[in-house]
Amino acid sequence: MTEEKINRSELLQVRLTPKESERIHQKFSHSTCRKFSDYVRKKLLDKPIAIYTRNQSLDDFMAEMIVLRNELNAIGNNYNQIVKRLHSLQHVEEIKTWLLLNESSKQILLKKVDEIKSKINQINEQWLQ
């Protein structure tokens, strides 16, 4: 089924106050319409218009996840440096020290993973309400 190209030859002019124009353009900017004329035409003909919506709880969640991701990346980098150091160790005392340091890094990592799980559970509870 092919769509015929519609030739729109009728022109409609409307005078608006600056506030009215601003209000219409503001609503247009939140729609998924690519052209202002498409938006106005749909509005005038009572056709459905898809609107972008923001979910503040999701935005907050994503901001917290970004911070946690950056912290996890830093922990991962530290861990990689520690493992490289381990491969260069030759004495038992150095290896014991590495094991103690590795244990503290592991605890930090587990704590961050628990924070991520907690945040995911919080957002899950909010969405399920």
Side-chain angles (χ1 to χ4, degrees), residues 5-19:
K5 182 168 175 136
I6 300 171
N7 187 11
R8 294 186 170 92
S9 59
E10 297 295 316
L11 180 65
L12 174 65
Q13 290 184 335
V14 179
R15 294 196 182 271
L16 302 169
T17 66
K19 281 187 178 183

Side-chain angles (χ1 to χ4, degrees), residues 89 91-103:
L89 299 179
H91 302 292
V92 174
E93 285 302 316
E94 290 177 327
I95 293 172
K96 286 181 183 177
T97 303
W98 180 88
L99 287 173
L100 291 173
L101 184 59
N102 181 46
E103 186 60 31

Side-chain angles (χ1 to χ4, degrees), residues 1 9 12 17 21 25 45 49 53 55-56 58-59 67 71 79 81 88 116 129:
M1 186 167 125
S9 59
L12 174 65
T17 66
S21 178
H25 277 86
L45 300 174
I49 298 173
T53 58
N55 181 333
Q56 187 62 44
L58 179 59
D59 290 346
V67 170
E71 290 178 11
Y79 188 75
Q81 290 173 359
S88 68
I116 291 171
Q129 290 179 353

Side-chain angles (χ1 to χ4, degrees), residues 75 79 82 99-113:
I75 292 168
Y79 188 75
I82 291 169
L99 287 173
L100 291 173
L101 184 59
N102 181 46
E103 186 60 31
S104 67
S105 295
K106 179 178 142 188
Q107 294 305 320
I108 292 170
L109 177 63
L110 291 176
K111 182 180 175 189
K112 288 300 171 187
V113 169

Side-chain angles (χ1 to χ4, degrees), residues 34-78:
R34 298 180 106 190
K35 296 181 180 177
F36 184 66
S37 58
D38 290 337
Y39 173 78
V40 173
R41 192 176 302 109
K42 286 179 178 182
K43 199 71 168 165
L44 288 171
L45 300 174
D46 291 326
K47 291 186 177 180
I49 298 173
I51 303 293
Y52 292 116
T53 58
R54 299 295 301 230
N55 181 333
Q56 187 62 44
S57 64
L58 179 59
D59 290 346
D60 295 343
F61 173 74
M62 289 306 297
E64 291 181 37
M65 288 294 106
I66 289 168
V67 170
L68 288 173
R69 180 189 62 194
N70 292 339
E71 290 178 11
L72 282 175
N73 284 338
I75 292 168
N77 289 337
N78 290 343

